[in-house]
Amino acid sequence: MAAVRSKISSRALSSEDRLPSIRSFATSMGVSPSTVVEAYDRLAAEGLIRARRGSGFYVAGNAMTPLALAETEPRRDRAVDPFWVSRQSLDAASTALKPGCGWLPADWMPHIALRRAMRTLARAEDAMLADYGSTRGSLRLRRLLLGRFAEEGLETSPDQIMLTGSGTQAIDLVCRFLLRSGDTVVVDDPCYFNFQALLRAHQVRIVGVPYTPSGPDADVFESIMATERPRLYITNSALHNPTGATPSPQNAYRILSAAAAHDVTIVEDEIFADFEPEPSPRLAILDGLNRVIRIGSFSKTLSASIRCGYIAARKDWIEGLTDLQVATCFGGPSPIATELIAEVLSGGSYRKHMEELRKRLSRARREMATRLDNLGIKPWVMPRGGFYLWCRLPEDHDSATLARTLLEENVVLAPGNVFSISQMAAPFIRFNVAQTGDPRILSSLKRAMQIQHPSP
Amino acid sequence: MAAVRSKISSRALSSEDRLPSIRSFATSMGVSPSTVVEAYDRLAAEGLIRARRGSGFYVAGNAMTPLALAETEPRRDRAVDPFWVSRQSLDAASTALKPGCGWLPADWMPHIALRRAMRTLARAEDAMLADYGSTRGSLRLRRLLLGRFAEEGLETSPDQIMLTGSGTQAIDLVCRFLLRSGDTVVVDDPCYFNFQALLRAHQVRIVGVPYTPSGPDADVFESIMATERPRLYITNSALHNPTGATPSPQNAYRILSAAAAHDVTIVEDEIFADFEPEPSPRLAILDGLNRVIRIGSFSKTLSASIRCGYIAARKDWIEGLTDLQVATCFGGPSPIATELIAEVLSGGSYRKHMEELRKRLSRARREMATRLDNLGIKPWVMPRGGFYLWCRLPEDHDSATLARTLLEENVVLAPGNVFSISQMAAPFIRFNVAQTGDPRILSSLKRAMQIQHPSP
């Protein structure tokens, strides 16, 4: 391989030149022909040379002008819109600091169990490694979910669960199943920014219900149900994103009753549920999966690289959703993905991993609150768990401006209005306490705040 | 674990009973407390017992009524519609014979390379195992695709490629990006059944263009372009599904010219391209990715369990498609999936694997054609590659009836009309020559044909 590379870089071989035949090159290098085949194949896979069927190997047309080593950076001129955080944080350089992102650092995840599961899977039968999965996804993983649901007092059957490519895709499939363009959908204000991005793709009308420290404002919710005739309400219960607040039992009851009175379906995203110290009231459980559709994923607690989400709902809806998933994705999520997750979940160490994670986050939350307090930045509510702190900036600071300034220093913030339908959240920022340890983050923030409002 | 199971099955412990404390059970069993914790965790993962945070372990409420061991079989009363083959073959029991399915047997896939890639990945850095990927998917895999495209004479850049969760999802994203409900879309007649299922989900009007042995009927195509004002044409080039036919160069030129004259976008699905002995004319290459969008996946040649597809298109379209993928899936495909694929593709053995696969399929195709001929079943065209034979039954036989009869014997066929917009393909069946080796298939088919039309 080195010999070919050097011939190309020294221009002994030019673009479109034929490489020496395998036999002659093997002789001249004193190696076996199979070694040359292997080397040529690898160089071809790298794109430096190309095989032409039946006529040997040639130097690639673009071998002299190698591709740029890195892609262009994520665009910095993008609007601070619901796509802002996802595009900036997903495509950030590995050196970027991401206090605005929505996931834990990789080394907080159960990587030992993941590696063990991966080695186990390397010995699985051929069908697991090569075949399509079933339309609803791994029965083993669906059964593990059933067990977890039963722990919370929700008895379901495997045909009430469908696995999907991700939690987001789970909501997307539900929206495709239930909505028509022009329908009205209610979300919390603030809410997870991607709910807005997703609903835009469905071309529906979005109505926000103000979120209070004990759940969506029930008075406003009741009035929206009566006057706006929505089809769907999408919410995070357990630990609300971005605020980290938890609905009270009374709130959960009022919300569910109001939705029932107006025959509105609810999508309850429980993606942060495992971070709760004690389970809080859940709409899906009160309702018994009648009008509430429960969705979730393993991206926050186990791995976001292994893409998998789930939908638990009425049996007849799951049947329809399954056809929709076949039509749009040809089947459920990767069998390899679902087997990896099932291995980790059933491995025995997962419960301990979650216990340690909860403790670690609790410490990180307290420390971060103290450090932010020094800058005059206050949590709107102190969450019972999870990794978010939804904080109010000192008076007259604008979070979007700060986010743009910090992006110049390679720090990705999550400014309030990307979460807000009403655009009333300019003085807020969502911090991820697990991603905020680097002292450069708060020092950059402090500097940017002083530029915005110089101290007297 | 056995001790707890026996206590439950003997009713020494009943539903909702508290299990012995970890310490006391460890003492009574003469093992360490950590062994008991491990056993309890595993039993909890199985759903037999449940942990209540802070108060120990309890026998699960449904432990006395274990879930059924197998799911209900795929429903046999389903209509023979575009979902028929996918649902029957994806959810078939492992003992079912599937001459109608659209994939190779697991042991024809490069499982040694897959296992090796998996072991390599088990040693990857934490971020690969636990983090979200970038919005367009692995740069490494996109570069490998660039190299393959360049081999065919198509020079592109990484920002013209987006990786997706599957080939189907690639088409789905394109449809969401370009279509509005009520638009007209042209497909081949016959065409891959899931194009129809997918387009139904988009609520568009479907127009079929008859497929000839040298490509879509160009006269009809030209007239459809002029009179139907379609927005999109979706086709398989290289080896057409289900016929296995290949468009001629003249056909490719006329189709592309007609689409250009009426400003129609083309989605060219090249999922079977690697099975060609020699590359045939490709619309995306003639066009240079201007109005043609190329999509594909690795499910047919490498692994269908590792879900990944791709879209290659104009840069501005990829930008819009990327936002759409973030909104609906939160990012590109699993980094683990794309890394596994990149490992196998760049491992050097892939080219050899494909060469052997082509030879093996060529043999299987000839053998199968001979065996079918004995039943009076004739290929409509003899394909240059791939694994399909699109065959005409002897006069007056109906493929849907045969498919229903064979399903009773656990054999999944692909009857002609699931592929056909005009429903004129009742005398046709698509056979997968790699899945038709079991002699029971043809003997069942022979019997069913004799019931339909008893020999004199």
Side-chain angles (χ1 to χ4, degrees), chain B residues 250-319:
Chain B
Q250 299 77 33
N251 181 270
Y253 174 72
R254 279 186 68 187
I255 295 297
L256 184 59
S257 303
H262 297 276
D263 200 18
V264 171
T265 302
I266 297 177
V267 173
E268 184 176 46
D269 177 356
E270 59 163 15
I271 195 161
F272 297 101
D274 280 359
F275 291 104
E276 284 193 299
E278 299 288 332
S280 60
R282 221 52 62 75
L283 301 173
I285 296 172
L286 283 178
D287 171 67
L289 290 184
N290 173 30
R291 69 176 56 260
V292 179
I293 298 172
R294 162 177 266 195
I295 79 102
S297 94
F298 310 91
S299 299
K300 307 302 179 191
T301 54
L302 198 150
S303 163
S305 174
I306 306 173
R307 307 301 293 145
C308 181
Y310 56 83
I311 303 175
R314 284 163 41 177
K315 202 186 285 192
D316 57 330
W317 285 359
I318 291 294
E319 183 80 9

Side-chain angles (χ1 to χ4, degrees), chain B residues 234-246:
Chain B
I234 305 180
T235 189
N236 269 138
S237 57
L239 297 161
H240 175 252
N241 183 1
T243 65
T246 298

Side-chain angles (χ1 to χ4, degrees), chain A residues 41 45 53 68 87 91 115 124 126 128-130 132 135 143-144 172 176 276 303-305 323 334 348 351, chain B residues 41 45 53 68 87 91 115 124 126 128-130 135 143-144 172 176 276 300 303-305 323 334 348 351:
Chain A
D41 275 340
R53 281 177 207 162
R87 299 261 332 227
D91 292 335
R115 288 175 204 283
D126 290 347
M128 174 66 73
L129 299 177
Y132 288 93
T135 59
R143 289 217 170 122
L144 286 167
D172 185 49
R176 292 177 87 159
E276 284 193 299
S303 163
S305 174
D323 279 345
S334 159
R351 196 174 58 93
Chain B
D41 275 340
R53 282 179 204 158
R87 299 264 328 229
D91 291 334
R115 289 175 203 284
D126 289 346
M128 174 66 74
L129 299 177
T135 59
R143 289 217 170 121
L144 286 166
D172 185 50
R176 292 178 86 159
E276 284 193 299
K300 307 302 179 191
S303 163
S305 174
D323 279 344
S334 159
R351 196 175 58 94

Side-chain angles (χ1 to χ4, degrees), chain B residues 369-387:
Chain B
T370 308
R371 290 165 61 216
L372 287 168
D373 196 57
N374 294 336
L375 300 183
I377 301 173
K378 313 275 186 196
W380 179 74
V381 70
M382 199 61 187
R384 299 158 58 245
F387 43 85

Side-chain angles (χ1 to χ4, degrees), chain A residues 37-38 41-42 45-47 50-51 53 57 62 67-71 75 78 83 86-87 90-91 103-107 109 111 114-115 118-119 121-136 139 142-144 146-147 150-151 155-156 158 166 168-169 172 176 180 192-194 197-198 201-203 273-274 276-279 299-300 303-307 319 322-324 326-336 340 345-348 351 358, chain B residues 37-38 41-42 45-47 50-51 53 57 62 67-71 75 78 83 86-87 90-91 102-107 109 111 114-115 118-119 121-136 139 142-144 146-147 150-151 155 158 166 168-169 172 176 180 192-194 197-198 201-203 273-274 276-279 299-300 303-307 319 322-324 326-336 340 345-348 351 358:
Chain A
V37 169
E38 170 91 13
D41 275 340
R42 283 175 178 268
E46 285 178 14
R50 293 173 198 164
R53 281 177 207 162
F57 286 86
N62 62 354
L67 295 162
L69 279 180
E71 284 198 284
R75 285 168 47 194
R78 287 185 70 99
F83 288 98
S86 34
R87 299 261 332 227
L90 291 171
D91 292 335
W103 54 88
L104 294 175
D107 60 356
M109 301 297 259
H111 47 92
L114 284 169
R115 288 175 204 283
M118 207 119 213
R119 289 192 300 268
L121 211 65
R123 298 186 299 269
E125 53 180 14
D126 290 347
M128 174 66 73
L129 299 177
D131 276 357
Y132 288 93
S134 63
T135 59
R136 274 175 283 186
L139 185 56
R142 279 184 287 148
R143 289 217 170 122
L144 286 167
L146 286 184
E151 265 188 52
E155 299 292 341
T156 44
S166 68
T168 302
Q169 206 173 359
D172 185 49
R176 292 177 87 159
R180 287 167 183 274
Y192 172 41
F193 50 79
N194 210 52
L198 176 64
H202 288 276
Q203 298 166 289
D274 280 358
E276 284 193 299
E278 299 287 330
S299 300
K300 307 303 178 189
S303 163
S305 174
I306 306 173
R307 307 300 292 147
E319 183 80 9
T322 304
D323 279 345
L324 189 57
V326 167
T328 59
C329 310
F330 204 67
S334 159
I336 289 178
L340 284 172
L345 286 184
S346 63
R351 196 174 58 93
R358 284 191 290 265
Chain B
V37 169
E38 171 90 14
D41 275 340
R42 283 176 178 266
E46 287 179 13
R50 294 175 197 161
R53 282 179 204 158
F57 287 85
N62 61 354
L67 296 162
L69 277 180
E71 284 197 283
R75 283 170 46 194
R78 288 185 68 99
F83 288 98
S86 34
R87 299 264 328 229
L90 291 171
D91 291 334
W103 54 89
L104 294 175
D107 61 355
M109 301 297 259
H111 47 92
L114 282 168
R115 289 175 203 284
M118 206 120 212
R119 289 192 299 270
L121 212 65
R123 298 186 300 270
E125 53 179 13
D126 289 346
M128 174 66 74
L129 299 177
D131 275 357
Y132 289 92
S134 64
T135 59
R136 273 176 281 183
L139 185 56
R142 280 184 286 148
R143 289 217 170 121
L144 286 166
L146 287 184
E151 265 188 50
E155 299 290 342
S166 68
T168 302
Q169 206 173 0
D172 185 50
R176 292 178 86 159
R180 287 166 185 273
Y192 171 42
F193 51 77
N194 210 53
L198 176 64
H202 287 276
Q203 298 166 290
D274 280 359
E276 284 193 299
E278 299 288 332
S299 299
K300 307 302 179 191
S303 163
S305 174
I306 306 173
R307 307 301 293 145
E319 183 80 9
T322 304
D323 279 344
L324 190 57
V326 167
T328 58
C329 310
F330 205 68
S334 159
I336 289 178
L340 283 172
L345 286 184
S346 64
R351 196 175 58 94
R358 283 190 291 263

Side-chain angles (χ1 to χ4, degrees), chain B residues 1 4-5 8 42-50 58-64:
Chain B
M1 285 172 78
V4 173
R5 272 191 232 280
I8 292 174
R42 283 176 178 266
L43 289 166
E46 287 179 13
L48 202 66
I49 66 174
R50 294 175 197 161
Y58 292 77
V59 178
N62 61 354
M64 304 300 162

